[in-house]
């Protein structure tokens, strides 16, 4: 029976990465309650769709892993690979991935992923992380997912959380993109119970490396019970649409060091400082805001410089802001 189960899993994962149009619960069409098109291609919307697109391990070997040793072995492959994760794997240390391209890490059910440590990925490209839970990330980096000098990244239908029982530096980021990473989409993901959630651009002093890079899209994500960095974006270009922010203690979208952000169609509930451009850096950022639902917190925006990012170089569909809260909160995370 177990053999039959694994054969079915392998066939299902291979199917969604080889068919032109795959009906899968955790691709762009949303989750279990989705009522729209049943034709959902395994392709990102947003900046990860540019620069040749992001396909991960499409066409490569499919390997199922259920422990850290199996994961490490699978990641040694130099060929495209799709790694299916079975169950929650406790990591004894961070997984370090360097100069590796064309891989996908996908949970095979709604309770698969990693705890205890995270992933430190650098100088890599064409990466998909999908349907995965990350929690209590206390490896050497203290990030759940940390990318450096990496391009074409799609994080989709994942869940990230730690806790708010410690100081803000006990953990670091949930999912961070630094050192000139580029062409990134984070979609349909649930981030909660954490202090510093998602950092884009690591410091004020790296303008020479980061300027012209760090193009990132956040869409249909649910940020709940978080202190700040949703995202915090330096130097780069961010399109932030149709997300839900709930119970945010300090700030949500923070545009810094000349970054340009387009923030549209988002819902903010009990979320302090939804959009700011003059927090925490020596230089202000820029923001364009349109059609957001701020609840009672509209007056706490601090948009000191209006930006020039009024359009983006890819196709996307905006959902009616009145429908965003229910659609997002019901459909984010692993399926």
């Amino acid at each position: 029976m177990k053999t039959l189960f694994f054969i079915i899993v392998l066939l299902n994962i291979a199917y969604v990465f080889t068919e032109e149009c795959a009906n899968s619960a955790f691709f762009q069409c949303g989750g279990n309650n989705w009522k729209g098109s049943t034709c959902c291609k395994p392709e990102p919307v947003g900046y990860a769709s540019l620069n040749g697109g992001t396909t991960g391990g499409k066409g490569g070997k499919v390997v199922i892993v259920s422990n850290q040793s199996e994961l490490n072995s699978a990641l040694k492959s130099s060929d495209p690979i799709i790694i299916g994760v079975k169950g929650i794997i406790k990591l004894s240390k961070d997984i370090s991935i360097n100069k590796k391209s064309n891989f996908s890490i996908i949970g095979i059910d709604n309770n698969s992923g990693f705890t205890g440590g995270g992933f430190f990925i650098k100088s890599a490209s064409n990466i998909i992380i999908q349907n995965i839970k990350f929690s209590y990330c206390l490896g050497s980096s203290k990030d759940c997912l940390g990318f450096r000098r990496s391009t074409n990244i799609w994080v989709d239908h994942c869940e990230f959380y730690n806790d708010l029982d410690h100081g803000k530096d006990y953990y670091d980021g949930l999912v961070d993109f630094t050192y000139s990473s580029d062409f990134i989409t984070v979609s349909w993901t649930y981030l909660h119970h954490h202090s510093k959630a998602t950092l884009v651009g690591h410091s004020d002093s790296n303008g020479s490396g980061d300027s012209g890079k760090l193009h990132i899209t956040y869409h249909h994500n649910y940020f709940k019970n978080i202190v700040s960095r949703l995202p915090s974006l330096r130097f780069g270009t961010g399109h932030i649409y149709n997300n839900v922010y709930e119970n945010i203690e300090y700030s949500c979208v923070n545009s810094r060091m000349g970054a340009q952000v387009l923030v549209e169609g988002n819902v903010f509930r009990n979320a302090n400082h939804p959009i700011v451009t003059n927090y925490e850096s020596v230089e202000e950022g820029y923001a364009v805001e349109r059609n957001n639902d701020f609840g009672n917190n509209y007056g706490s925006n601090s948009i000191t410089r209006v930006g020039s990012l009024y359009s983006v170089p890819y196709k996307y569909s905006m959902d009616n802001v009145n429908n965003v809260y229910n659609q997002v909160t019901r459909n984010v995370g692993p399926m």
Side-chain angles (χ1 to χ4, degrees), residues 18-134:
T18 56
E19 290 297 304
E20 283 298 313
C21 182
N23 180 15
S24 173
F26 51 91
F27 289 128
Q28 282 296 321
C29 289
N32 293 333
N33 299 310
W34 179 254
K35 305 301 182 188
S37 170
T38 58
C39 181
C40 311
K41 293 184 180 181
E43 299 171 352
V45 170
Y47 280 109
S49 68
L50 305 181
N51 193 40
T54 302
T55 57
K58 181 178 180 180
K61 183 179 180 181
V62 179
V63 177
I64 304 296
V65 303
S66 58
N67 58 57
Q68 187 169 345
S69 176
E70 292 173 347
L71 174 65
N72 287 332
S73 294
L75 287 168
K76 291 178 181 177
S77 171
S78 59
D79 297 321
I81 189 169
I82 300 166
I83 301 172
V85 178
K86 181 180 183 293
I88 300 296
I89 297 174
K90 183 170 178 55
L91 299 178
S92 60
K93 62 180 181 178
D94 284 347
I95 301 296
S96 181
I97 300 172
N98 187 24
K99 296 182 180 179
K100 180 173 178 56
S101 301
N102 310 318
F103 66 94
S104 302
I105 300 176
I106 302 178
I108 64 173
D109 56 30
N110 65 1
N111 193 40
S112 293
F114 306 97
T115 190
F119 284 68
F120 181 63
I121 301 172
K122 61 181 181 178
S123 303
S125 64
N126 194 25
I127 302 155
I128 294 175
I129 310 291
Q130 197 167 55
N131 221 46
I132 294 287
K133 287 185 177 182
F134 294 87

Side-chain angles (χ1 to χ4, degrees), residues 196-334:
K196 303 175 294 182
T198 177
L199 177 69
V200 185
H202 73 287
S203 77
D204 288 359
S205 61
N206 201 49
S208 60
D210 287 343
S211 295
K213 305 289 187 179
L214 299 171
H215 292 84
I216 189 165
T217 303
Y218 292 85
H219 74 86
H220 296 92
N221 301 293
Y222 185 22
F223 304 107
K224 184 177 182 182
N225 296 328
I226 292 177
V227 177
S228 65
R229 297 186 181 177
L230 301 169
S232 169
L233 174 58
R234 293 181 174 98
F235 301 109
T237 302
H239 185 203
I240 301 158
Y241 74 94
N242 284 161
N243 301 285
V244 173
Y245 297 80
E246 188 165 22
N247 300 335
I248 308 303
E249 181 179 324
Y250 178 59
S251 65
C252 301
V253 180
N254 183 359
S255 179
R256 309 161 67 177
M257 298 303 298
Q260 295 275 354
V261 296
L262 170 59
V263 186
E264 56 179 342
N266 301 283
V267 174
F268 298 85
R269 294 287 180 268
N270 190 35
N272 289 314
H273 310 297
I275 306 170
V276 298
T277 60
N278 60 338
Y279 280 29
E280 301 180 311
S281 281
V282 297
E283 181 184 341
E284 298 172 7
Y286 297 87
V288 172
E289 176 276 311
R290 64 188 181 207
N291 197 36
N292 295 286
D293 178 357
F294 294 107
N296 296 323
N297 289 300
Y298 180 78
S300 64
N301 281 334
S302 185
I303 302 174
T304 56
R305 297 202 295 190
V306 175
S308 58
L309 186 66
Y310 287 92
S311 63
V312 290
Y314 52 81
K315 293 181 179 179
Y316 67 104
S317 296
M318 280 286 297
D319 294 318
N320 187 314
V321 71
N322 295 323
N323 301 327
V324 165
Y325 185 89
N326 286 337
Q327 183 179 354
V328 168
T329 57
R330 291 174 181 175
N331 292 305
V332 292

Side-chain angles (χ1 to χ4, degrees), residues 158-171:
C158 290
E159 180 177 3
F160 296 86
Y161 64 94
N162 288 308
D163 61 56
L164 289 168
D165 300 330
H166 301 85
K168 67 182 180 66
D169 296 321
Y170 184 76
Y171 305 100

